[in-house]
PDB file of all heavy atoms in Angstrom:
ATOM      1  N   VAL N  25      10.020   5.957  -7.683  1.00 96.00           N
ATOM      2  CA  VAL N  25       8.940   5.065  -7.218  1.00 96.00           C
ATOM      3  C   VAL N  25       9.598   3.837  -6.584  1.00 96.00           C
ATOM      4  O   VAL N  25      10.747   3.564  -6.920  1.00 96.00           O
ATOM      5  CB  VAL N  25       7.967   4.783  -8.339  1.00 96.00           C
ATOM      6  CG1 VAL N  25       7.189   5.917  -8.789  1.00 96.00           C
ATOM      7  CG2 VAL N  25       8.703   4.058  -9.534  1.00 96.00           C
ATOM      8  N   PHE N  26       8.888   3.183  -5.757  1.00 97.00           N
ATOM      9  CA  PHE N  26       9.240   1.858  -5.302  1.00 97.00           C
ATOM     10  C   PHE N  26       8.126   0.880  -5.382  1.00 97.00           C
ATOM     11  O   PHE N  26       6.909   1.260  -5.404  1.00 97.00           O
ATOM     12  CB  PHE N  26       9.829   2.025  -3.863  1.00 97.00           C
ATOM     13  CG  PHE N  26       8.847   2.531  -2.884  1.00 97.00           C
ATOM     14  CD1 PHE N  26       8.010   1.668  -2.157  1.00 97.00           C
ATOM     15  CD2 PHE N  26       8.793   3.912  -2.669  1.00 97.00           C
ATOM     16  CE1 PHE N  26       7.142   2.192  -1.186  1.00 97.00           C
ATOM     17  CE2 PHE N  26       7.839   4.455  -1.779  1.00 97.00           C
ATOM     18  CZ  PHE N  26       7.074   3.612  -0.983  1.00 97.00           C
ATOM     19  N   GLU N  27       8.460  -0.423  -5.349  1.00 97.00           N
ATOM     20  CA  GLU N  27       7.418  -1.466  -5.348  1.00 97.00           C
ATOM     21  C   GLU N  27       6.744  -1.654  -4.094  1.00 97.00           C
ATOM     22  O   GLU N  27       7.482  -1.529  -3.071  1.00 97.00           O
ATOM     23  CB  GLU N  27       7.981  -2.755  -5.946  1.00 97.00           C
ATOM     24  CG  GLU N  27       8.489  -2.727  -7.343  1.00 97.00           C
ATOM     25  CD  GLU N  27       9.036  -4.045  -7.813  1.00 97.00           C
ATOM     26  OE1 GLU N  27       8.933  -5.053  -6.948  1.00 97.00           O
ATOM     27  OE2 GLU N  27       9.382  -4.257  -8.956  1.00 97.00           O
ATOM     28  N   PHE N  28       5.490  -2.095  -3.993  1.00 97.00           N
ATOM     29  CA  PHE N  28       4.869  -2.393  -2.774  1.00 97.00           C
ATOM     30  C   PHE N  28       5.557  -3.578  -2.139  1.00 97.00           C
ATOM     31  O   PHE N  28       5.579  -3.779  -0.916  1.00 97.00           O
ATOM     32  CB  PHE N  28       3.346  -2.737  -3.088  1.00 97.00           C
ATOM     33  CG  PHE N  28       2.653  -2.937  -1.762  1.00 97.00           C
ATOM     34  CD1 PHE N  28       2.105  -1.825  -0.961  1.00 97.00           C
ATOM     35  CD2 PHE N  28       2.289  -4.228  -1.345  1.00 97.00           C
ATOM     36  CE1 PHE N  28       1.405  -2.046   0.153  1.00 97.00           C
ATOM     37  CE2 PHE N  28       1.631  -4.486  -0.132  1.00 97.00           C
ATOM     38  CZ  PHE N  28       1.120  -3.396   0.611  1.00 97.00           C
ATOM     39  N   ARG N  29       6.218  -4.281  -2.958  1.00 96.00           N
ATOM     40  CA  ARG N  29       7.011  -5.518  -2.478  1.00 96.00           C
ATOM     41  C   ARG N  29       7.969  -5.068  -1.336  1.00 96.00           C
ATOM     42  O   ARG N  29       8.220  -5.883  -0.408  1.00 96.00           O
ATOM     43  CB  ARG N  29       7.856  -6.059  -3.614  1.00 96.00           C
ATOM     44  CG  ARG N  29       8.476  -7.441  -3.288  1.00 96.00           C
ATOM     45  CD  ARG N  29       9.484  -7.836  -4.436  1.00 96.00           C
ATOM     46  NE  ARG N  29       8.955  -7.717  -5.658  1.00 96.00           N
ATOM     47  CZ  ARG N  29       8.234  -8.647  -6.314  1.00 96.00           C
ATOM     48  NH1 ARG N  29       7.973  -9.758  -5.648  1.00 96.00           N
ATOM     49  NH2 ARG N  29       7.907  -8.460  -7.549  1.00 96.00           N
ATOM     50  N   GLU N  30       8.513  -3.884  -1.419  1.00 97.00           N
ATOM     51  CA  GLU N  30       9.486  -3.379  -0.427  1.00 97.00           C
ATOM     52  C   GLU N  30       8.813  -3.304   0.952  1.00 97.00           C
ATOM     53  O   GLU N  30       9.412  -3.484   2.007  1.00 97.00           O
ATOM     54  CB  GLU N  30      10.124  -2.117  -0.772  1.00 97.00           C
ATOM     55  CG  GLU N  30      10.970  -2.207  -2.026  1.00 97.00           C
ATOM     56  CD  GLU N  30      11.744  -0.884  -2.349  1.00 97.00           C
ATOM     57  OE1 GLU N  30      12.165  -0.210  -1.319  1.00 97.00           O
ATOM     58  OE2 GLU N  30      11.911  -0.522  -3.523  1.00 97.00           O
ATOM     59  N   ILE N  31       7.522  -2.881   0.959  1.00 96.00           N
ATOM     60  CA  ILE N  31       6.704  -2.754   2.170  1.00 96.00           C
ATOM     61  C   ILE N  31       6.583  -4.291   2.779  1.00 96.00           C
ATOM     62  O   ILE N  31       6.612  -4.374   4.027  1.00 96.00           O
ATOM     63  CB  ILE N  31       5.344  -2.244   1.900  1.00 96.00           C
ATOM     64  CG1 ILE N  31       5.472  -0.824   1.218  1.00 96.00           C
ATOM     65  CG2 ILE N  31       4.582  -2.133   3.220  1.00 96.00           C
ATOM     66  CD1 ILE N  31       6.088   0.236   2.122  1.00 96.00           C
ATOM     67  N   VAL N  32       6.397  -5.196   1.963  1.00 95.00           N
ATOM     68  CA  VAL N  32       6.107  -6.601   2.394  1.00 95.00           C
ATOM     69  C   VAL N  32       7.510  -7.073   2.981  1.00 95.00           C
ATOM     70  O   VAL N  32       7.513  -7.777   4.076  1.00 95.00           O
ATOM     71  CB  VAL N  32       5.694  -7.463   1.222  1.00 95.00           C
ATOM     72  CG1 VAL N  32       5.515  -8.960   1.693  1.00 95.00           C
ATOM     73  CG2 VAL N  32       4.347  -7.006   0.627  1.00 95.00           C
ATOM     74  N   GLN N  33       8.597  -6.840   2.382  1.00 95.00           N
ATOM     75  CA  GLN N  33       9.850  -7.439   2.776  1.00 95.00           C
ATOM     76  C   GLN N  33      10.511  -6.726   3.960  1.00 95.00           C
ATOM     77  O   GLN N  33      11.237  -7.335   4.653  1.00 95.00           O
ATOM     78  CB  GLN N  33      10.791  -7.480   1.541  1.00 95.00           C
ATOM     79  CG  GLN N  33      10.359  -8.332   0.420  1.00 95.00           C
ATOM     80  CD  GLN N  33      11.223  -8.278  -0.806  1.00 95.00           C
ATOM     81  OE1 GLN N  33      11.938  -7.406  -1.030  1.00 95.00           O
ATOM     82  NE2 GLN N  33      11.113  -9.319  -1.734  1.00 95.00           N
ATOM     83  N   ASN N  34      10.270  -5.434   4.031  1.00 96.00           N
ATOM     84  CA  ASN N  34      10.924  -4.661   5.020  1.00 96.00           C
ATOM     85  C   ASN N  34       9.969  -4.122   6.103  1.00 96.00           C
ATOM     86  O   ASN N  34       9.310  -3.171   5.894  1.00 96.00           O
ATOM     87  CB  ASN N  34      11.720  -3.464   4.392  1.00 96.00           C
ATOM     88  CG  ASN N  34      12.441  -2.622   5.452  1.00 96.00           C
ATOM     89  OD1 ASN N  34      12.566  -2.977   6.593  1.00 96.00           O
ATOM     90  ND2 ASN N  34      13.079  -1.471   4.912  1.00 96.00           N
ATOM     91  N   GLU N  35      10.031  -4.875   7.316  1.00 94.00           N
ATOM     92  CA  GLU N  35       9.030  -4.465   8.334  1.00 94.00           C
ATOM     93  C   GLU N  35       9.451  -3.205   8.970  1.00 94.00           C
ATOM     94  O   GLU N  35       8.607  -2.583   9.806  1.00 94.00           O
ATOM     95  CB  GLU N  35       8.962  -5.670   9.352  1.00 94.00           C
ATOM     96  CG  GLU N  35       8.453  -6.906   8.772  1.00 94.00           C
ATOM     97  CD  GLU N  35       8.359  -8.069   9.880  1.00 94.00           C
ATOM     98  OE1 GLU N  35       8.668  -7.765  10.923  1.00 94.00           O
ATOM     99  OE2 GLU N  35       7.930  -9.159   9.512  1.00 94.00           O
ATOM    100  N   ALA N  36      10.651  -2.679   8.744  1.00 95.00           N
ATOM    101  CA  ALA N  36      11.025  -1.381   9.412  1.00 95.00           C
ATOM    102  C   ALA N  36      10.894  -0.272   8.391  1.00 95.00           C
ATOM    103  O   ALA N  36      11.305   0.830   8.634  1.00 95.00           O
ATOM    104  CB  ALA N  36      12.439  -1.498   9.846  1.00 95.00           C
ATOM    105  N   PHE N  37      10.189  -0.461   7.256  1.00 96.00           N
ATOM    106  CA  PHE N  37      10.060   0.479   6.218  1.00 96.00           C
ATOM    107  C   PHE N  37       9.328   1.744   6.868  1.00 96.00           C
ATOM    108  O   PHE N  37       8.375   1.638   7.510  1.00 96.00           O
ATOM    109  CB  PHE N  37       9.199  -0.053   5.056  1.00 96.00           C
ATOM    110  CG  PHE N  37       9.306   0.778   3.775  1.00 96.00           C
ATOM    111  CD1 PHE N  37      10.223   0.422   2.833  1.00 96.00           C
ATOM    112  CD2 PHE N  37       8.595   1.996   3.593  1.00 96.00           C
ATOM    113  CE1 PHE N  37      10.503   1.133   1.666  1.00 96.00           C
ATOM    114  CE2 PHE N  37       8.759   2.647   2.378  1.00 96.00           C
ATOM    115  CZ  PHE N  37       9.640   2.268   1.430  1.00 96.00           C
ATOM    116  N   GLU N  38       9.795   2.962   6.501  1.00 93.00           N
ATOM    117  CA  GLU N  38       9.262   4.136   7.066  1.00 93.00           C
ATOM    118  C   GLU N  38       7.812   4.390   6.695  1.00 93.00           C
ATOM    119  O   GLU N  38       7.371   4.118   5.529  1.00 93.00           O
ATOM    120  CB  GLU N  38      10.119   5.378   6.440  1.00 93.00           C
ATOM    121  CG  GLU N  38       9.619   6.729   6.919  1.00 93.00           C
ATOM    122  CD  GLU N  38      10.309   7.873   6.279  1.00 93.00           C
ATOM    123  OE1 GLU N  38      10.943   7.641   5.263  1.00 93.00           O
ATOM    124  OE2 GLU N  38      10.343   8.994   6.864  1.00 93.00           O
ATOM    125  N   ASN N  39       6.956   4.754   7.660  1.00 94.00           N
ATOM    126  CA  ASN N  39       5.534   4.925   7.497  1.00 94.00           C
ATOM    127  C   ASN N  39       4.857   3.656   7.008  1.00 94.00           C
ATOM    128  O   ASN N  39       3.840   3.734   6.224  1.00 94.00           O
ATOM    129  CB  ASN N  39       5.201   6.038   6.538  1.00 94.00           C
ATOM    130  CG  ASN N  39       5.616   7.443   7.126  1.00 94.00           C
ATOM    131  OD1 ASN N  39       5.698   7.575   8.353  1.00 94.00           O
ATOM    132  ND2 ASN N  39       5.860   8.330   6.255  1.00 94.00           N
ATOM    133  N   ARG N  40       5.402   2.481   7.302  1.00 96.00           N
ATOM    134  CA  ARG N  40       4.933   1.198   6.733  1.00 96.00           C
ATOM    135  C   ARG N  40       3.391   0.994   6.871  1.00 96.00           C
ATOM    136  O   ARG N  40       2.670   0.828   6.006  1.00 96.00           O
ATOM    137  CB  ARG N  40       5.542   0.020   7.402  1.00 96.00           C
ATOM    138  CG  ARG N  40       5.314  -1.384   6.793  1.00 96.00           C
ATOM    139  CD  ARG N  40       6.272  -2.369   7.335  1.00 96.00           C
ATOM    140  NE  ARG N  40       6.083  -3.675   6.676  1.00 96.00           N
ATOM    141  CZ  ARG N  40       5.395  -4.679   7.233  1.00 96.00           C
ATOM    142  NH1 ARG N  40       4.779  -4.490   8.444  1.00 96.00           N
ATOM    143  NH2 ARG N  40       5.307  -5.803   6.688  1.00 96.00           N
ATOM    144  N   ASP N  41       2.858   1.084   8.202  1.00 96.00           N
ATOM    145  CA  ASP N  41       1.485   0.956   8.403  1.00 96.00           C
ATOM    146  C   ASP N  41       0.703   1.951   7.678  1.00 96.00           C
ATOM    147  O   ASP N  41      -0.491   1.649   7.137  1.00 96.00           O
ATOM    148  CB  ASP N  41       1.161   0.948   9.918  1.00 96.00           C
ATOM    149  CG  ASP N  41       1.427  -0.370  10.649  1.00 96.00           C
ATOM    150  OD1 ASP N  41       2.108  -1.251   9.943  1.00 96.00           O
ATOM    151  OD2 ASP N  41       0.961  -0.471  11.756  1.00 96.00           O
ATOM    152  N   PHE N  42       1.083   3.212   7.629  1.00 96.00           N
ATOM    153  CA  PHE N  42       0.328   4.321   6.914  1.00 96.00           C
ATOM    154  C   PHE N  42       0.238   3.900   5.451  1.00 96.00           C
ATOM    155  O   PHE N  42      -0.771   4.088   4.862  1.00 96.00           O
ATOM    156  CB  PHE N  42       1.152   5.600   7.205  1.00 96.00           C
ATOM    157  CG  PHE N  42       0.416   6.821   6.529  1.00 96.00           C
ATOM    158  CD1 PHE N  42      -0.726   7.371   7.238  1.00 96.00           C
ATOM    159  CD2 PHE N  42       0.842   7.291   5.420  1.00 96.00           C
ATOM    160  CE1 PHE N  42      -1.269   8.442   6.559  1.00 96.00           C
ATOM    161  CE2 PHE N  42       0.257   8.451   4.823  1.00 96.00           C
ATOM    162  CZ  PHE N  42      -0.777   9.008   5.431  1.00 96.00           C
ATOM    163  N   ILE N  43       1.410   3.516   4.891  1.00 97.00           N
ATOM    164  CA  ILE N  43       1.340   3.173   3.424  1.00 97.00           C
ATOM    165  C   ILE N  43       0.352   2.024   3.105  1.00 97.00           C
ATOM    166  O   ILE N  43      -0.371   1.969   2.132  1.00 97.00           O
ATOM    167  CB  ILE N  43       2.793   2.836   2.946  1.00 97.00           C
ATOM    168  CG1 ILE N  43       3.672   4.137   3.058  1.00 97.00           C
ATOM    169  CG2 ILE N  43       2.710   2.405   1.435  1.00 97.00           C
ATOM    170  CD1 ILE N  43       5.124   3.822   2.797  1.00 97.00           C
ATOM    171  N   ILE N  44       0.375   1.071   4.057  1.00 97.00           N
ATOM    172  CA  ILE N  44      -0.464  -0.232   3.914  1.00 97.00           C
ATOM    173  C   ILE N  44      -1.962   0.325   3.930  1.00 97.00           C
ATOM    174  O   ILE N  44      -2.780  -0.099   3.031  1.00 97.00           O
ATOM    175  CB  ILE N  44      -0.268  -1.125   5.017  1.00 97.00           C
ATOM    176  CG1 ILE N  44       1.127  -1.769   4.844  1.00 97.00           C
ATOM    177  CG2 ILE N  44      -1.326  -2.335   4.916  1.00 97.00           C
ATOM    178  CD1 ILE N  44       1.509  -2.674   6.097  1.00 97.00           C
ATOM    179  N   ARG N  45      -2.278   1.243   4.779  1.00 97.00           N
ATOM    180  CA  ARG N  45      -3.654   1.739   4.861  1.00 97.00           C
ATOM    181  C   ARG N  45      -3.947   2.606   3.509  1.00 97.00           C
ATOM    182  O   ARG N  45      -5.084   2.528   2.982  1.00 97.00           O
ATOM    183  CB  ARG N  45      -3.801   2.709   6.040  1.00 97.00           C
ATOM    184  CG  ARG N  45      -3.756   1.902   7.378  1.00 97.00           C
ATOM    185  CD  ARG N  45      -4.105   2.639   8.528  1.00 97.00           C
ATOM    186  NE  ARG N  45      -4.043   1.879   9.774  1.00 97.00           N
ATOM    187  CZ  ARG N  45      -5.011   1.119  10.215  1.00 97.00           C
ATOM    188  NH1 ARG N  45      -6.223   1.080   9.487  1.00 97.00           N
ATOM    189  NH2 ARG N  45      -4.888   0.359  11.331  1.00 97.00           N
ATOM    190  N   LYS N  46      -3.023   3.375   3.095  1.00 97.00           N
ATOM    191  CA  LYS N  46      -3.234   4.105   1.854  1.00 97.00           C
ATOM    192  C   LYS N  46      -3.388   3.141   0.653  1.00 97.00           C
ATOM    193  O   LYS N  46      -4.190   3.306  -0.221  1.00 97.00           O
ATOM    194  CB  LYS N  46      -2.072   5.010   1.534  1.00 97.00           C
ATOM    195  CG  LYS N  46      -1.984   6.226   2.523  1.00 97.00           C
ATOM    196  CD  LYS N  46      -3.254   7.140   2.375  1.00 97.00           C
ATOM    197  CE  LYS N  46      -3.335   8.346   3.242  1.00 97.00           C
ATOM    198  NZ  LYS N  46      -4.483   9.120   3.140  1.00 97.00           N
ATOM    199  N   PHE N  47      -2.619   1.983   0.656  1.00 97.00           N
ATOM    200  CA  PHE N  47      -2.786   0.972  -0.404  1.00 97.00           C
ATOM    201  C   PHE N  47      -4.151   0.333  -0.296  1.00 97.00           C
ATOM    202  O   PHE N  47      -4.771   0.136  -1.337  1.00 97.00           O
ATOM    203  CB  PHE N  47      -1.709  -0.089  -0.179  1.00 97.00           C
ATOM    204  CG  PHE N  47      -1.886  -1.213  -1.129  1.00 97.00           C
ATOM    205  CD1 PHE N  47      -1.497  -1.173  -2.464  1.00 97.00           C
ATOM    206  CD2 PHE N  47      -2.461  -2.457  -0.677  1.00 97.00           C
ATOM    207  CE1 PHE N  47      -1.628  -2.203  -3.362  1.00 97.00           C
ATOM    208  CE2 PHE N  47      -2.623  -3.465  -1.556  1.00 97.00           C
ATOM    209  CZ  PHE N  47      -2.215  -3.460  -2.874  1.00 97.00           C
ATOM    210  N   ALA N  48      -4.655   0.096   0.854  1.00 97.00           N
ATOM    211  CA  ALA N  48      -6.021  -0.421   1.053  1.00 97.00           C
ATOM    212  C   ALA N  48      -7.070   0.514   0.516  1.00 97.00           C
ATOM    213  O   ALA N  48      -8.082   0.168  -0.143  1.00 97.00           O
ATOM    214  CB  ALA N  48      -6.341  -0.877   2.468  1.00 97.00           C
ATOM    215  N   GLN N  49      -6.904   1.770   0.831  1.00 97.00           N
ATOM    216  CA  GLN N  49      -7.731   2.786   0.281  1.00 97.00           C
ATOM    217  C   GLN N  49      -7.816   2.905  -1.346  1.00 97.00           C
ATOM    218  O   GLN N  49      -8.776   3.067  -1.902  1.00 97.00           O
ATOM    219  CB  GLN N  49      -7.365   4.171   0.759  1.00 97.00           C
ATOM    220  CG  GLN N  49      -7.645   4.387   2.253  1.00 97.00           C
ATOM    221  CD  GLN N  49      -7.050   5.662   2.797  1.00 97.00           C
ATOM    222  OE1 GLN N  49      -6.770   6.543   2.076  1.00 97.00           O
ATOM    223  NE2 GLN N  49      -6.710   5.674   4.179  1.00 97.00           N
ATOM    224  N   PHE N  50      -6.522   2.784  -1.806  1.00 98.00           N
ATOM    225  CA  PHE N  50      -6.407   2.754  -3.267  1.00 98.00           C
ATOM    226  C   PHE N  50      -7.134   1.541  -3.886  1.00 98.00           C
ATOM    227  O   PHE N  50      -7.762   1.629  -4.954  1.00 98.00           O
ATOM    228  CB  PHE N  50      -4.862   2.719  -3.621  1.00 98.00           C
ATOM    229  CG  PHE N  50      -4.562   2.478  -5.100  1.00 98.00           C
ATOM    230  CD1 PHE N  50      -4.804   3.513  -6.012  1.00 98.00           C
ATOM    231  CD2 PHE N  50      -3.978   1.320  -5.425  1.00 98.00           C
ATOM    232  CE1 PHE N  50      -4.517   3.381  -7.338  1.00 98.00           C
ATOM    233  CE2 PHE N  50      -3.633   1.082  -6.798  1.00 98.00           C
ATOM    234  CZ  PHE N  50      -3.820   2.124  -7.783  1.00 98.00           C
ATOM    235  N   THR N  51      -6.905   0.380  -3.256  1.00 98.00           N
ATOM    236  CA  THR N  51      -7.509  -0.845  -3.867  1.00 98.00           C
ATOM    237  C   THR N  51      -9.100  -0.731  -3.658  1.00 98.00           C
ATOM    238  O   THR N  51      -9.904  -1.172  -4.553  1.00 98.00           O
ATOM    239  CB  THR N  51      -6.948  -2.152  -3.023  1.00 98.00           C
ATOM    240  OG1 THR N  51      -5.635  -2.172  -3.261  1.00 98.00           O
ATOM    241  CG2 THR N  51      -7.774  -3.407  -3.540  1.00 98.00           C
ATOM    242  N   PHE N  52      -9.561  -0.237  -2.616  1.00 98.00           N
ATOM    243  CA  PHE N  52     -11.010  -0.026  -2.324  1.00 98.00           C
ATOM    244  C   PHE N  52     -11.590   0.831  -3.402  1.00 98.00           C
ATOM    245  O   PHE N  52     -12.694   0.615  -3.904  1.00 98.00           O
ATOM    246  CB  PHE N  52     -11.246   0.550  -1.001  1.00 98.00           C
ATOM    247  CG  PHE N  52     -12.733   0.831  -0.651  1.00 98.00           C
ATOM    248  CD1 PHE N  52     -13.602  -0.127  -0.343  1.00 98.00           C
ATOM    249  CD2 PHE N  52     -13.226   2.181  -0.776  1.00 98.00           C
ATOM    250  CE1 PHE N  52     -14.997   0.112  -0.135  1.00 98.00           C
ATOM    251  CE2 PHE N  52     -14.583   2.438  -0.599  1.00 98.00           C
ATOM    252  CZ  PHE N  52     -15.432   1.431  -0.239  1.00 98.00           C
ATOM    253  N   GLU N  53     -10.837   1.921  -3.721  1.00 98.00           N
ATOM    254  CA  GLU N  53     -11.329   2.841  -4.799  1.00 98.00           C
ATOM    255  C   GLU N  53     -11.500   2.084  -6.163  1.00 98.00           C
ATOM    256  O   GLU N  53     -12.364   2.269  -6.920  1.00 98.00           O
ATOM    257  CB  GLU N  53     -10.290   4.001  -4.964  1.00 98.00           C
ATOM    258  CG  GLU N  53     -10.836   5.029  -6.041  1.00 98.00           C
ATOM    259  CD  GLU N  53      -9.729   6.223  -6.237  1.00 98.00           C
ATOM    260  OE1 GLU N  53      -8.749   6.125  -5.574  1.00 98.00           O
ATOM    261  OE2 GLU N  53      -9.964   7.015  -7.100  1.00 98.00           O
ATOM    262  N   MET N  54     -10.426   1.271  -6.433  1.00 98.00           N
ATOM    263  CA  MET N  54     -10.499   0.364  -7.621  1.00 98.00           C
ATOM    264  C   MET N  54     -11.747  -0.421  -7.685  1.00 98.00           C
ATOM    265  O   MET N  54     -12.459  -0.535  -8.639  1.00 98.00           O
ATOM    266  CB  MET N  54      -9.263  -0.445  -7.763  1.00 98.00           C
ATOM    267  CG  MET N  54      -7.987   0.159  -8.272  1.00 98.00           C
ATOM    268  SD  MET N  54      -6.595  -0.962  -8.072  1.00 98.00           S
ATOM    269  CE  MET N  54      -7.192  -2.582  -8.469  1.00 98.00           C
ATOM    270  N   HIS N  55     -11.981  -1.146  -6.606  1.00 98.00           N
ATOM    271  CA  HIS N  55     -13.124  -2.093  -6.441  1.00 98.00           C
ATOM    272  C   HIS N  55     -14.348  -1.325  -6.548  1.00 98.00           C
ATOM    273  O   HIS N  55     -15.311  -1.801  -7.200  1.00 98.00           O
ATOM    274  CB  HIS N  55     -12.993  -2.764  -5.081  1.00 98.00           C
ATOM    275  CG  HIS N  55     -11.929  -3.787  -5.001  1.00 98.00           C
ATOM    276  ND1 HIS N  55     -11.524  -4.421  -3.823  1.00 98.00           N
ATOM    277  CD2 HIS N  55     -11.094  -4.246  -5.963  1.00 98.00           C
ATOM    278  CE1 HIS N  55     -10.508  -5.110  -4.052  1.00 98.00           C
ATOM    279  NE2 HIS N  55     -10.156  -5.056  -5.309  1.00 98.00           N
ATOM    280  N   GLU N  56     -14.558  -0.127  -6.020  1.00 98.00           N
ATOM    281  CA  GLU N  56     -15.747   0.641  -6.127  1.00 98.00           C
ATOM    282  C   GLU N  56     -16.004   1.053  -7.543  1.00 98.00           C
ATOM    283  O   GLU N  56     -17.180   1.216  -7.896  1.00 98.00           O
ATOM    284  CB  GLU N  56     -15.632   1.910  -5.200  1.00 98.00           C
ATOM    285  CG  GLU N  56     -15.789   1.663  -3.798  1.00 98.00           C
ATOM    286  CD  GLU N  56     -17.234   1.275  -3.333  1.00 98.00           C
ATOM    287  OE1 GLU N  56     -18.080   2.059  -3.327  1.00 98.00           O
ATOM    288  OE2 GLU N  56     -17.379   0.008  -3.131  1.00 98.00           O
ATOM    289  N   LYS N  57     -14.955   1.175  -8.347  1.00 98.00           N
ATOM    290  CA  LYS N  57     -15.061   1.491  -9.753  1.00 98.00           C
ATOM    291  C   LYS N  57     -15.251   0.276 -10.632  1.00 98.00           C
ATOM    292  O   LYS N  57     -15.382   0.377 -11.971  1.00 98.00           O
ATOM    293  CB  LYS N  57     -13.987   2.430 -10.196  1.00 98.00           C
ATOM    294  CG  LYS N  57     -13.951   3.780  -9.474  1.00 98.00           C
ATOM    295  CD  LYS N  57     -12.730   4.585 -10.038  1.00 98.00           C
ATOM    296  CE  LYS N  57     -12.818   5.949  -9.320  1.00 98.00           C
ATOM    297  NZ  LYS N  57     -11.729   6.888  -9.776  1.00 98.00           N
ATOM    298  N   GLY N  58     -15.270  -0.913 -10.085  1.00 98.00           N
ATOM    299  CA  GLY N  58     -15.521  -2.157 -10.711  1.00 98.00           C
ATOM    300  C   GLY N  58     -14.208  -2.670 -11.453  1.00 98.00           C
ATOM    301  O   GLY N  58     -14.366  -3.519 -12.364  1.00 98.00           O
ATOM    302  N   ILE N  59     -13.079  -2.288 -10.962  1.00 98.00           N
ATOM    303  CA  ILE N  59     -11.843  -2.760 -11.550  1.00 98.00           C
ATOM    304  C   ILE N  59     -11.311  -3.964 -10.779  1.00 98.00           C
ATOM    305  O   ILE N  59     -10.869  -3.880  -9.645  1.00 98.00           O
ATOM    306  CB  ILE N  59     -10.725  -1.609 -11.521  1.00 98.00           C
ATOM    307  CG1 ILE N  59     -11.283  -0.384 -12.270  1.00 98.00           C
ATOM    308  CG2 ILE N  59      -9.452  -2.053 -12.145  1.00 98.00           C
ATOM    309  CD1 ILE N  59     -10.463   0.939 -12.078  1.00 98.00           C
TER     310      ILE N  59
END
């Protein structure tokens, strides 16, 4: 595993935008469940 921090720090990270979108989806799911 790696920290989301690596996405923030490394703008050349592989699949960076895709992972950011997946992270947004993950957070949205949390919010929908009231977390």
Side-chain angles (χ1 to χ4, degrees):
V25 293
F26 58 92
E27 293 181 359
F28 187 80
R29 190 193 312 275
E30 293 186 39
I31 304 293
V32 178
Q33 295 175 341
N34 183 4
E35 295 184 1
F37 199 96
E38 183 184 16
N39 290 337
R40 187 171 183 260
D41 279 12
F42 182 78
I43 297 171
I44 294 170
R45 290 185 182 278
K46 289 297 180 183
F47 174 79
Q49 293 172 19
F50 173 69
T51 300
F52 177 77
E53 181 185 359
M54 281 172 39
H55 291 170
E56 286 292 283
K57 293 180 177 180
I59 301 167

